[in-house]
Amino acid sequence: MAYRPWLEQIGFRVAISPLFVDADLRRLYRGGRRGRAQDVLRAYGRRLYVALGIRSYQLLWIEKELFPFLPAGMDGLLRRIGVPYALDYDDATFHRYDQHASPLVRWLLGRRLIPLLQGARLVTVGNDYLAEYARAAGALDVREVPTVVDTRHYAVSRESADGEVRIGWIGSPSTAQYLDMVREPLRRLAQQRPLRFIVIGAREIPAMGVPLELHDWSADTEAALLATVHMGIMPLRDGPWERGKCGYKLIQYMACGKPVIASPVGANIGLVTPAVGLLAADEEQWLTALRTLAADARLRQRLGHAGRALVERHYALPAWGPRVAAWLRAAAGPQS
């Protein structure tokens, strides 16, 4: 959706068809559930209805897959019909299948994305880990496109001067589990100075033992809420799924001019340099990093300013909109 203006500028007429509608997502983010059975059934029904009309399109740009957790043949209908399509991955979705807890799911669906990748005219991915998988699966044209933001929606504001350090995290109910990694460091820091932990997007989180401020996620309010924090964090375990993460929340923090602290996993390693933030691999390193930024307003300002500049140079929509649109236009043309 963010690229829509650039696609329309070069002549595409764009139709957007999400798997889940806004009401489904509101229930997910407010209730912490993956989705009620009726939401899922309705979503697949809508997707099937749209799929029946795909012959009329010059190109489909698909986020990850058409029919998650169904046999590969459902997505394979694209190749049989002959409609050109492109794929986009900003998560290691393939690990939902090839590393699923159920041996049956691994056997039935472990390779379900490979035919889809092989038939795509273009695959855009958010980091090296995802690109490596796509190329190994046989994708013909793989382009790395970092997660980008519209910086016009992210304001840089002055810190509050009330003495309370506001530490922010934004995410989904499914990623709130990672907050357990910073519970003890936050608790220990709270014994040394006033702080408040700002959580956006998940209400069912581990017991943190520090003052909390919980907010539902909304596209209309996320940037304004992030502007109120002094620093943003991204704890992650070092696992296959996490190595596919593309650092979106870090880019959001930096777009607001905030310094960042992150686990050295996946895209975080290249994104978080000493110029914009700190990496922390264990509880002691997390405590040190949190304590360092909490104690030094000038350091926070310097890192935040550098982070905003980095986003404007490399992670802003105007830097990537024309390129991505041109690639998609080429993908929509005759197969060479």
Side-chain angles (χ1 to χ4, degrees), residues 156-220:
V156 179
S157 59
R158 287 184 174 272
E159 292 185 351
S160 62
D162 60 5
E164 183 180 68
V165 175
R166 294 171 62 84
I167 300 168
W169 177 89
I170 186 170
S172 67
S174 64
T175 57
Q177 59 181 304
Y178 301 123
L179 295 179
D180 187 62
M181 299 173 60
V182 296
R183 173 171 48 188
E184 185 61 16
L186 286 173
R187 188 190 66 80
R188 291 170 63 183
L189 181 63
Q191 294 174 345
Q192 302 167 10
R193 64 182 312 124
L195 68 81
R196 184 167 299 273
F197 189 37
I198 316 304
V199 175
I200 305 168
R203 288 190 172 272
E204 295 182 9
I205 66 172
M208 303 303 293
V210 299
L212 290 174
E213 190 174 304
L214 302 176
H215 297 274
D216 292 329
W217 178 85
S218 166
D220 296 329

Side-chain angles (χ1 to χ4, degrees), residues 295-334:
D296 194 335
R298 289 187 177 180
L299 176 62
R300 293 196 301 269
Q301 184 179 25
R302 176 167 59 82
L303 297 181
H305 179 78
R308 171 71 184 206
L310 177 66
V311 170
E312 290 176 346
R313 289 194 307 271
H314 298 295
Y315 301 99
L317 269 172
W320 286 95
R323 274 183 279 184
V324 172
W327 295 341
L328 289 167
R329 180 171 57 187

Side-chain angles (χ1 to χ4, degrees), residues 1-2 22 25-26 29-30 149-155 170-171 200-201 215-227 248 252 256:
M1 289 186 283
D22 287 350
L25 295 176
R26 280 194 291 269
Y29 276 79
R30 289 174 180 168
V149 296
D150 188 341
T151 51
R152 296 173 301 176
H153 298 159
Y154 291 84
I170 186 170
I200 305 168
H215 297 274
D216 292 329
W217 178 85
S218 166
D220 296 329
T221 61
E222 60 174 349
L225 289 170
L226 290 176
Y248 180 47
Q252 289 184 290
C256 290

Side-chain angles (χ1 to χ4, degrees), residues 60-96:
L60 299 181
W61 193 16
I62 301 166
E63 183 189 4
K64 301 180 178 73
E65 52 194 317
L66 283 179
F67 296 99
F69 279 95
L70 293 188
M74 291 296 294
D75 291 73
L77 63 86
L78 292 172
R79 298 183 74 174
R80 293 193 296 273
I81 294 174
V83 177
Y85 65 91
L87 299 170
D88 180 66
Y89 290 92
D90 64 353
D91 271 317
T93 309
F94 41 88
H95 288 325
R96 290 176 179 168

Side-chain angles (χ1 to χ4, degrees), residues 87-89 121-128 130-131 134-135 139-146 320 323-324 326-328 330-331:
L87 299 170
D88 180 66
Y89 290 92
R121 292 194 177 182
L122 170 69
V123 180
T124 53
V125 297
N127 65 25
D128 292 343
L130 302 175
R135 294 188 180 106
L140 298 177
D141 187 4
V142 180
R143 311 288 181 101
E144 290 191 41
V145 180
W320 286 95
R323 274 183 279 184
V324 172
W327 295 341
L328 289 167

Side-chain angles (χ1 to χ4, degrees), residues 232-250:
I233 65 171
M234 185 177 179
L236 281 180
R237 289 189 290 271
D238 189 3
W241 174 264
E242 289 76 13
R243 291 169 199 153
K245 292 290 184 183
C246 297
Y248 180 47
K249 56 174 59 68
L250 295 176

